[in-house]
């Protein structure tokens, strides 16, 4: 299977926040591959370095050392992004636009042929259930609606690879289920999905493979089924073990 | 490149007409001009030049306010509101972003100028019973070219300085400084002692001479129009500076980490 | 979610501040309207107490001078030296020079003033404030502003009036503002009534101004051909002048010559030879053109002798 994402010996350091502090190592010597057609869960506690890794993949942050490529193209080339859909964490979209206008703008950037734009917009808005609000300014949206709009823009170009940073955050239970369905559907269409999440139950149901990151270091990576079978416990237990969490009750 | 830049420019223009700033400034300009124009001076009809001068002054101030503030907030707003992330995750390069923002702000200020100058032409036409089409067009065109340099400069500032308000303030000081004393810097330099004199001369040759683009005196005093070749040369001069500022902005922004 | 409005308000902060700047700039120009309204409201009360004066203080005077100069700039159709151009700043603005010329010969006055104002520029060297371009930027820049000397065409002098009016509003003590405006109104724009009204406004604030009284007299004499009123006004002007002189205030010599010169001419024309001679004798004392005046006195004496 072709490698869609390839991360090799990636290290990202941030300059020290305050005086006298050491540089902050956000990602340490990370190796990761995601193959075509996979749904890959990227796990780790807060501050583990998930978003930072994704930022490298999209060219927002330059690696201190190591390299990363998408579809075999170095991530610094904008070309690598034609086939990607990206949903950032905590993002607000142009508030003075309506969802429709926002999607039309992104469609233009992707050079989607004019005669396909409107049907594509209808499609994704229907998928994320925002049709009723398509002509409203984004600034009037609730948090969950904004998240849906974000998902819609990530899907507008019918991408082969989706990079989703906590796609279910801020969504209600139905919204979460919907996202799971979407991921499942994309998988059935043969797309690759790389996403981070804190919802381990959800990860367990949709992911083929996971990686668990702690303090910038890769703790474990493998197929979900294999991990569960080998360790004889569910993903949540594995996760807690990997990050070295000791329950005060069991101690 | 062009496709992305025009797509981005469209967003900037949409933003401008969905915000109140422009309408406020236009209505203010129109009201003040009409108010001043309605004053009776010694029962003398058809006094036109002071109204023209005042209206043009307001147009200049308003256009600079719009161009500078609109441009200054573009990239900081993209970063603060994090819209830059989904944007740059698409096949949009940082060069596209800078050029697109430039184009958007420049075209938007051009649209604003058209509205203002049409108002000006109507006002003067009513008073002087004559509109100097060629001169007015030149004034508009040169004004717009100057705003191209201004937009480029402020765009660069918005990448260099963190806060849009400090960028606006610094840009304003620089722009007004050039407009007011740019023409005379060499004379000032002549009157100074050596090290300062040479420095000032260098500044004189390096700054974009925005005062070229100020044709207000010509149209206030009905002094005809400027030679067209000079307008052409000034257009090229402005484009060179606008391109230069964008290039430096791109150089600075190209490798900048975003978060 | 909560931080969204904060962020955007921070971004918008710059524009209200700049709108404020715009408002301030326009406020100065609008002060003309306000000052007028204020004057009506304040009536003739002493100007010292006016709110505007307190608020603006001495800056009013600076602005008044600025606008007075602006009128002169308009008179020169925008061709005017900046502070960087004129190391040899002239004492008087050019539009005043026309005013202070004594035009004895009224018939000649009309075309004469216009022609002369065209060439007196060269005499005063004012056309040369722009010397040869110093470099390519200087040379190229000259395509975009006014680089030749000209004066307002006949009838277009009205364009100066707003600035004079504003200057007077800002600094009602500046007497030239009234006399210059009056000169153009009565002699070029055929508006003696407005000229007189403006001078009266000036006189209310400056009751001791012999310049204003003299101008008022000229309107009576030249526009209304009312020699009696003119005489009264000029005599009053002379009185004011002498009063200032005896108070040691050093009033303008040239104005004194004008007043007695015009009084002399008036009495001469009215046939009051004795009085005329009296004035001319006084003029002879101070005038540089002693011989001419002597001649005129002789003529008067000869003409009156046969009676
Ligand atoms: N610009 C920055 N400057 C300094 N340190 C940073 C910067 N961005 C991130 N970090 C640090 O890098 C580490 C990894 O952060 P990152 O955002 O990648 O975590 P994450 O795994 O996405 O966490 P979360 O689950 O909270 O989203 C954190 O310790 C964070 O403080
Ligand atoms: Mg994160």
């Amino acid at each position: 299977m072709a490698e869609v994402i390839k991360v090799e010996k990636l290290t990202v350091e941030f300059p020290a926040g305050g005086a006298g502090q050491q540089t902050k190592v956000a990602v340490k010597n990370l190796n990761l591959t995601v193959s075509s057609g996979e749904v890959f869960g990227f796990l780790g506690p807060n501050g583990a370095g998930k978003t930072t890794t994704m930022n490298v993949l999209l060219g927002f942050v330059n690696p201190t050392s190591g390299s990363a490529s998408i579809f075999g193209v170095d991530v610094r080339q904008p070309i690598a992004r034609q086939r990607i859909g990206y949903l950032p964490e905590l993002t607000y979209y142009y508030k003075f636009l309506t969802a429709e206008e926002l999607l039309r703008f992104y469609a233009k950037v992707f050079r989607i042929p004019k005669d396909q734009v409107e049907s594509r917009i209808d499609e994704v808005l229907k998928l994320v259930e925002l049709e009723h609000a398509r002509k409203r300014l984004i600034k009037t949206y609730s948090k969950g609606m904004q998240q849906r709009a974000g998902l819609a823009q990530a899907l507008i170009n019918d991408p082969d690879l989706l990079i989703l940073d906590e796609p279910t955050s801020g969504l209600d239970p139905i919204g979460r289920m919907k996202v799971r369905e979407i991921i499942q559907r994309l998988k059935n269409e043969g797309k690759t999905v790389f996403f981070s999440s804190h919802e381990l139950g959800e990860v367990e149901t949709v992911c083929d493979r996971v990686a668990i990151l702690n303090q910038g270091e890769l703790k474990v990576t493998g197929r979900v089924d294999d991990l569960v079978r080998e360790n004889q416990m569910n993903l949540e237990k594995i996760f807690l073990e990997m990050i070295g969490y000791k329950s005060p009750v069991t101690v | 490149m062009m496709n992305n830049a025009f797509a981005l420019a469209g967003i900037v223009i949409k933003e401008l007409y969905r915000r109140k700033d422009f309408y406020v400034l236009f209505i203010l300009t129109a009201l003040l001009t009409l108010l001043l124009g309605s004053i009776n001076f010694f029962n003398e009809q058809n006094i036109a030049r002071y109204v023209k001068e005042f209206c043009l002054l307001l147009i200049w101030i308003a256009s600079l306010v719009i161009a500078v503030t609109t441009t200054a907030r573009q990239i900081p707003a993209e970063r603060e509101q994090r819209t830059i992330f989904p944007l740059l995750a698409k096949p949009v390069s940082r060069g596209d972003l800078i050029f697109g923002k430039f184009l958007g702000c420049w075209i938007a200020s051009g649209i604003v100028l058209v509205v203002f100058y049409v108002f000006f032409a109507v006002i003067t036409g009513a008073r002087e019973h004559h509109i100097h089409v060629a001169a007015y067009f030149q004034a508009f065109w040169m004004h717009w070219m100057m705003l191209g340099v201004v937009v480029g400069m402020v765009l660069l500032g918005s990448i260099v300085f963190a806060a849009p308000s400090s960028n606006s303030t610094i840009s304003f000081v620089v722009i007004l400084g050039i407009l007011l004393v740019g023409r005379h810097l060499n004379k000032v330099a002549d009157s100074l002692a050596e090290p300062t004199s040479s420095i000032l001369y260098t500044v004189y040759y390096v700054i974009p001479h925005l005062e070229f683009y100020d044709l207000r005196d010509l149209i206030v005093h009905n002094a005809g129009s400027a030679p067209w070749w000079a307008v052409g040369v000034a257009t090229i001069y402005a484009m060179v500076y606008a391109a230069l500022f964008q290039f430096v902005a791109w150089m600075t922004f190209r490798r900048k980490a975003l978060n | 979610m909560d931080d969204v409005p904060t962020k955007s308000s921070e971004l918008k902060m710059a524009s209200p501040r700049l709108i404020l700047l715009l408002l301030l700039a326009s406020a100065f120009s609008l002060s003309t309207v306000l000052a007028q309204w204020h004057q009506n409201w304040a009536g003739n009360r002493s100007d010292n107490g006016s709110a505007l004066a307190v608020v603006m203080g001495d800056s009013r005077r600076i602005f008044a001078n600025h606008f007075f100069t602006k009128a002169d700039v308009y008179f020169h159709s925008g061709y005017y030296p900046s502070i960087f151009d004129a190391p040899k700043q002239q004492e008087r603005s050019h539009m005043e020079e026309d005013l202070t010329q004594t035009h004895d010969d009224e018939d000649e006055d009309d075309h004469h003033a216009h022609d002369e104002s065209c060439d007196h520029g060269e005499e005063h060297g004012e056309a040369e404030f722009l010397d040869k371009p110093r470099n390519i930027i200087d040379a190229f820049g000259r395509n975009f502003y006014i680089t030749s000397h000209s004066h307002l065409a006949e009838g277009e002098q009205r364009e100066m009036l707003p600035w004079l009016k504003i200057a007077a509003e800002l600094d009602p003590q500046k007497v030239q503002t009234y006399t210059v405006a009056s000169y153009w109104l009565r002699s070029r724009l055929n508006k003696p009534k407005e000229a007189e009204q403006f001078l009266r406004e000036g006189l209310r604030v400056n009751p001791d101004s012999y310049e204003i009284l003299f101008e008022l007299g000229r309107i009576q004499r030249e526009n209304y051909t009312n020699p009696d009123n003119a005489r009264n006004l000029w005599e009053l002007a002379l009185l004011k002048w002498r009063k200032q002189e005896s108070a040691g205030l050093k009033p303008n010599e040239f104005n004194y010559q004008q007043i007695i010169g015009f009084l002399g001419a008036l009495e001469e024309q009215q046939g009051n030879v004795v009085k005329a001679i009296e004035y001319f004798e006084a003029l002879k004392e101070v005038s540089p053109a002693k011989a001419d005046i002597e001649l005129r006195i002789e003529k008067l004496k000869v003409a009156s002798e046969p009676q």
Side-chain angles (χ1 to χ4, degrees), chain A residues 46-52 54 89 165-166 196 198:
Chain A
N46 291 138
K50 304 180 296 291
T51 301
T52 305
M54 289 182 170
E89 67 175 349
D165 201 349
E166 300 185 28
S196 73
H198 294 297

Side-chain angles (χ1 to χ4, degrees), chain A residues 12-17 24-27 42-55 61 89 165-166 196 198 213 216, chain B residues 258-259:
Chain A
V12 181
E13 289 174 6
F14 289 112
K24 166 86 202 167
V25 183
V27 179
F42 199 38
L43 314 178
N46 291 138
K50 304 180 296 291
T51 301
T52 305
T53 307
M54 289 182 170
N55 281 347
V61 170
E89 67 175 349
D165 201 349
E166 300 185 28
S196 73
H198 294 297
L213 210 61
Chain B
L258 301 172
N259 34 38

Side-chain angles (χ1 to χ4, degrees), chain B residues 98 156 159-160 243-254:
Chain B
I98 290 188
L156 170 60
I159 285 164
V160 175
L244 191 77
F245 284 127
Q246 284 172 76
F247 183 75
V248 178
W250 175 70
M251 291 288 284
T252 321
F253 190 52
R254 199 169 45 129

Side-chain angles (χ1 to χ4, degrees), chain C residues 59-278:
Chain C
S59 62
R60 282 186 65 171
R61 202 147 285 164
I62 297 166
F63 280 106
N65 275 327
H66 170 76
F67 289 123
F68 186 77
T69 311
K70 192 102 200 157
D72 201 26
V73 175
Y74 271 41
F75 180 58
H76 290 86
S77 302
Y79 179 74
Y80 214 73
S82 70
I83 48 165
F84 300 101
D85 291 309
K88 36 180 198 270
Q89 276 257 320
Q90 280 124 338
E91 293 246 312
R92 279 168 170 272
S93 58
H94 289 116
M95 57 183 180
E96 275 179 279
E97 275 165 27
D98 272 7
L99 160 74
T100 49
Q101 284 155 5
T102 36
H103 300 297
D104 288 325
D105 202 335
E106 286 299 321
D107 304 324
E108 216 186 62
D109 193 58
D110 254 331
H111 47 95
H112 154 93
H114 185 228
D115 292 352
E116 193 190 67
S117 53
C118 282
D119 54 33
H120 82 183
E122 280 84 77
E123 287 165 29
H124 293 286
E126 64 172 359
E128 288 91 51
F129 80 78
L130 268 185
D131 28 72
K132 280 213 176 67
R134 292 153 180 253
N135 55 52
I136 182 163
I137 289 171
D138 190 359
F140 183 64
R142 290 187 192 197
N143 287 305
F144 308 113
Y145 58 92
I146 294 167
T147 50
S148 64
H149 182 246
S150 72
H151 287 170
L152 282 174
E154 205 53 39
E156 279 184 353
Q157 288 99 349
R158 62 169 181 268
E159 301 290 352
M160 291 187 273
L161 297 176
W163 301 119
L164 293 171
K165 179 88 176 171
I166 292 168
E169 296 293 351
L170 288 173
D171 184 2
Q173 264 107 20
K174 190 174 164 83
V175 168
Q176 294 104 296
T177 314
Y178 301 100
T179 54
V180 168
S182 156
Y183 170 77
W184 295 109
L185 279 167
R186 69 170 165 82
S187 74
R188 291 286 178 279
L189 300 167
N190 194 26
K191 287 207 178 298
K193 213 176 93 218
E194 282 77 8
E196 186 179 359
Q197 196 192 336
F198 193 45
L199 287 171
R200 293 267 173 218
E201 278 169 29
L203 195 63
R204 267 201 294 277
V205 184
N206 310 283
D208 291 327
S209 168
Y210 50 85
E211 296 101 320
I212 293 178
L213 287 166
F214 174 70
E215 263 300 302
L216 278 168
R218 285 192 74 173
I219 293 175
Q220 293 299 330
R221 174 89 173 92
E222 291 159 30
N223 299 80
Y224 297 152
T225 43
N226 191 335
D228 293 338
N229 281 353
R231 181 189 294 116
N232 288 341
L233 286 160
W234 285 340
E235 281 173 354
L236 190 59
L238 190 59
L239 199 73
K240 299 279 187 196
W241 194 92
R242 291 200 165 125
K243 217 157 109 190
Q244 286 189 28
E245 196 198 23
S246 49
L249 292 173
K250 297 211 165 102
N252 189 300
E253 274 294 329
F254 179 75
N255 289 121
Y256 173 67
Q257 294 173 26
Q258 271 193 317
I259 297 168
I260 52 177
F262 274 63
L263 271 171
L266 177 74
E267 300 296 8
E268 178 185 16
Q269 201 216 18
Q270 297 290 301
N272 304 328
V273 180
V274 185
K275 278 216 137 166
I277 291 171
E278 212 172 282

Side-chain angles (χ1 to χ4, degrees), chain B residues 74-96:
Chain B
Q74 288 306 323
I75 288 175
E78 287 270 358
R79 295 182 66 171
E80 293 239 17
Q81 308 198 347
R82 307 173 69 85
T83 48
I84 197 168
F85 292 108
L87 181 65
L88 289 183
K90 302 195 167 39
V92 176
S93 69
R94 297 191 184 191
D96 290 348

Side-chain angles (χ1 to χ4, degrees), chain B residues 3 7 9 14 28 38 56 61 78 87 101 125 135 137 154 200:
Chain B
N3 171 67
K14 253 197 195 106
L28 208 63
S38 66
L56 284 173
I61 295 171
E78 287 270 358
L87 181 65
K101 291 293 183 184
F137 175 75
V154 178
L200 213 55

